[in-house]
Amino acid sequence: MVSLHTACGATASDLAQTQYLLRFESLFHAGRGMAFPCDAQGHVDLDGMTDRARDSYLYARAVIGREYAFPQVLSLAH
């Protein structure tokens, strides 16, 4: 099961339509990280994000290798 960081900005209806998440795992806190709805290739919809989610996503990308591991695309298909 994938739990989303509150900064992802995804609502329940967003997640119902989402088939993939782009997950940034913390390098220092096992099991912690941030996840954002994406497509199968890991592309996120920056224009569809809230300001807070966009800021969090851009931050996570900027600190890859220092605070977060390289992101992984996770399938939510059952």
Side-chain angles (χ1 to χ4, degrees):
M1 177 173 198
V2 175
S3 75
L4 294 177
H5 185 282
T6 55
C8 82
T11 64
S13 63
D14 290 339
L15 291 177
Q17 298 173 359
T18 298
Q19 295 182 20
Y20 299 94
L21 289 176
L22 187 64
R23 170 100 172 138
F24 293 84
E25 186 73 26
S26 173
L27 293 174
F28 303 105
H29 304 285
R32 288 190 164 185
M34 288 193 267
F36 304 90
C38 68
D39 64 16
Q41 291 77 40
H43 301 125
V44 299
D45 178 14
L46 288 174
D47 294 332
M49 290 180 162
T50 64
D51 290 341
R52 181 177 176 184
R54 187 179 316 105
D55 289 346
S56 294
Y57 170 74
L58 294 173
Y59 174 77
R61 277 188 23 185
V63 296
I64 290 173
R66 291 178 286 180
E67 189 168 334
Y68 292 103
F70 282 94
Q72 296 179 321
V73 177
L74 304 175
S75 174
L76 296 180
H78 300 304

